Amino acid sequence: GQLEDAAMKLKRLKSEGTLLAEAERFAEALQHWEEALLFTEDPCDKAPILEQMAQVLLILERPFDAIRTGEQAVQSRPLWYAGHLTLGRALINFGELERAVESFRRAKTLLSQDMAAHDKTADAEMEFQELCLELREAENLWAEVKDRAKHNTSNEVIVNGRVVESHFW
């Protein structure tokens, strides 16, 4: 058989990773995408792979790893709204509400700029509405947490469903 060149291998690994993720074989999908990254030189091409990996890490309830991977996607392609959106989702799952709101706001700005520069499609409009909803929910949650912090004089805080009491605050 013919040896696979790097471009073909990259395309195959990305495609197989997507199929594995759709089949809920997440660990295998991550392995394929990690290997695909080895054949990806252009940062703009790395971003979609990293963003998909971050989504899978969220499904696997690994928000910290999803944040790190989402940050790499954003660094690779800073003007791509989807990277900021996925990073925002990872941050909100980790409890980093203020940073999540910032990421959602950045995603909204970038998507609206994309829509202004190109023809608005029904899919883009629907995506924009969903993003606006997620942003509003994150802003409301962040406002609620700040408000609670102002009015709560208790030494107790709930962390991952457990009450933790500190004698230092």
Side-chain angles (χ1 to χ4, degrees):
Q2 181 181 343
L3 286 179
E4 197 174 25
D5 73 347
M8 289 298 292
K9 187 162 188 162
L10 170 62
K11 186 175 180 177
R12 179 180 59 78
L13 288 166
K14 283 171 35 179
S15 176
E16 287 175 359
T18 301
L19 290 171
L20 288 164
E22 288 170 356
E24 298 184 6
R25 293 167 59 185
F26 301 119
E28 293 169 89
L30 287 172
Q31 289 173 338
H32 278 71
W33 288 327
E34 283 170 10
E35 191 176 346
L37 287 172
L38 299 175
F39 296 94
T40 312
E41 292 179 25
D42 184 350
C44 279
D45 293 338
K46 285 184 179 195
I49 299 168
L50 291 163
E51 189 269 342
Q52 284 182 300
M53 290 174 69
Q55 285 187 43
V56 164
L57 290 164
L58 280 173
I59 292 167
L60 294 173
E61 297 183 5
R62 293 171 50 191
F64 183 75
D65 294 328
I67 290 170
R68 287 191 4 240
T69 307
E71 286 171 338
Q72 290 175 326
V74 166
Q75 288 166 359
S76 297
R77 200 165 157 191
L79 300 179
W80 185 42
Y81 83 93
H84 291 274
L85 176 59
T86 298
L87 176 58
R89 290 173 177 161
L91 288 163
I92 210 161
N93 277 302
F94 196 66
E96 291 277 344
L97 302 179
E98 186 173 19
R99 286 184 58 208
V101 167
E102 290 170 13
S103 287
F104 286 138
R105 285 179 180 158
R106 183 80 179 126
K108 180 183 173 185
T109 299
L110 291 169
L111 181 55
S112 64
Q113 289 171 351
D114 282 357
M115 289 169 61
H118 305 96
D119 291 334
K120 284 187 190 180
T121 64
D123 285 348
E125 186 59 41
M126 195 168 83
E127 180 89 13
F128 187 75
Q129 293 307 318
E130 288 175 15
L131 199 162
C132 289
L133 179 64
E134 280 189 76
L135 172 58
R136 269 195 309 279
E137 288 173 355
E139 287 172 335
N140 290 341
L141 187 58
W142 177 231
E144 182 183 325
V145 167
K146 287 192 298 188
D147 189 54
R148 262 199 229 159
K150 261 192 257 178
H151 297 97
N152 189 352
T153 58
S154 168
N155 297 9
E156 296 178 351
V157 65
I158 296 175
V159 179
N160 292 333
R162 295 183 311 197
V163 175
V164 178
E165 187 170 345
S166 175
H167 301 286
F168 302 108
W169 65 62

